[in-house]
């Protein structure tokens, strides 16, 4: 079975292939099929946005398509930046600019609880759909720590590990992250789906 991953990110493609290889599923990128689709993320939830991307790529390729959407939800910001995580603070900001703005907004705030959320949606040409989610609770650090990861990783602190995501190795992060949980749930759900349709 061939799946199309709705992303231009080679790291995500490698990660998805690694987690699904034991199922006999080949994951290809949009680019490998000569497709490049920019989907406006107008959904109100992470699942809505992942569905928009998966459906667009599935329609364009005629193959089952999988997409994900992730973001940071901060309690003191009423769940923000949430689905706007990648666009937080406007177009001109890079990752550092976004987490610096976040730290400024939380200055003096004692409630620093937050969580990362990932939704994965797989849309099939026959109308079937798989939806899997993962969450990672943590807190927002008072200052960035670590050079690893991307996005908000240097300020997302995992209390039981006493480290930010930015201080974890890729393997450590994959084992505890929201995305890792969602990917493992998706692999299990896809396995069940394929067995049910043999």
């Amino acid at each position: 079975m061939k799946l199309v991953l709705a992303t231009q990110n080679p790291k995500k493609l490698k990660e998805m292939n690694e987690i699904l290889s034991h199922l006999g599923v080949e994951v290809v990128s949009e680019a490998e099929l000569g497709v490049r689709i920019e989907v406006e993320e107008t959904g109100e939830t992470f699942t809505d946005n992942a569905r928009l991307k998966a459906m667009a790529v599935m329609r364009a390729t005629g193959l089952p398509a999988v997409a994900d959407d992730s973001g940071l939800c901060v309690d003191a910001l009423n769940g923000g930046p949430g689905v706007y995580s990648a666009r937080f603070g406007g177009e001109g900001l890079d990752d550092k600019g976004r987490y610096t703005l976040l730290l400024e907004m939380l200055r003096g705030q004692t409630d620093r609880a937050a969580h990362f959320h990932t939704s994965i949606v797989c849309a099939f040409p026959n109308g079937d759909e798989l939806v899997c989610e993962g969450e990672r609770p943590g807190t927002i650090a008072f200052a960035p720590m670590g050079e690893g990861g991307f996005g908000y990783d240097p300020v997302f602190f995992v209390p039981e590990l006493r480290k930010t995501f930015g201080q974890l190795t890729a393997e450590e992060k994959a084992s505890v992250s929201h995305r890792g949980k969602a990917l493992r749930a998706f692999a299990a759900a896809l396995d069940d789906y394929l067995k049910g349709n043999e």
Side-chain angles (χ1 to χ4, degrees):
M1 179 185 176
K2 191 179 277 191
L3 276 182
V4 191
L5 186 59
T7 186
Q8 306 296 327
N9 185 328
K11 286 183 182 170
K12 282 189 175 181
L13 183 66
K14 182 173 181 281
E15 177 184 55
M16 190 67 81
N17 263 311
E18 282 171 0
I19 209 151
L20 298 182
S21 59
H22 70 286
L23 301 180
V25 172
E26 181 192 358
V27 187
V28 296
S29 68
E30 298 172 48
E32 288 173 78
L33 298 174
V35 174
R36 186 182 176 96
I37 296 177
E38 292 293 329
V39 178
E40 200 175 339
E41 296 182 2
T42 55
E44 292 183 12
T45 68
F46 297 111
T47 300
D48 290 345
N49 283 336
R51 182 178 290 117
L52 286 169
K53 292 184 273 190
M55 292 292 286
V57 172
M58 182 269 291
R59 288 191 190 111
T61 62
L63 292 168
V66 62
D68 71 284
D69 195 42
S70 303
L72 178 67
C73 305
V74 180
D75 290 11
L77 301 180
N78 298 315
V83 293
Y84 304 105
S85 293
R87 306 185 291 274
F88 184 54
E91 291 296 318
L93 291 185
D94 60 4
D95 286 351
K96 185 176 181 183
R98 277 187 280 277
Y99 71 63
T100 301
L101 173 62
L102 177 69
L103 292 177
E104 284 170 13
M105 290 176 76
L106 291 177
R107 186 173 290 146
Q109 176 63 251
T110 52
D111 176 11
R112 301 183 80 85
H115 67 270
F116 269 120
H117 185 97
T118 292
S119 289
I120 295 176
V121 173
C122 185
F124 294 88
N126 66 0
D128 289 348
E129 180 183 87
L130 298 176
V131 178
C132 298
E133 299 179 288
E135 276 195 3
R136 173 73 243 182
T139 63
I140 302 302
F142 287 91
M145 293 179 284
E147 302 294 319
F150 59 91
Y152 300 93
D153 287 359
V155 298
F156 185 77
F157 187 75
V158 183
E160 62 266 36
L161 299 177
R162 304 174 91 112
K163 290 179 179 178
T164 67
F165 267 9
Q167 294 172 301
L168 300 180
T169 66
E171 291 74 23
E172 286 173 324
K173 184 181 167 187
S175 70
V176 300
S177 77
H178 51 299
R179 191 171 158 70
K181 284 182 185 176
L183 281 168
R184 288 187 290 275
F186 174 61
L190 185 60
D191 189 24
D192 289 346
Y193 178 83
L194 294 174
K195 285 174 180 166
N197 286 277
E198 280 176 345

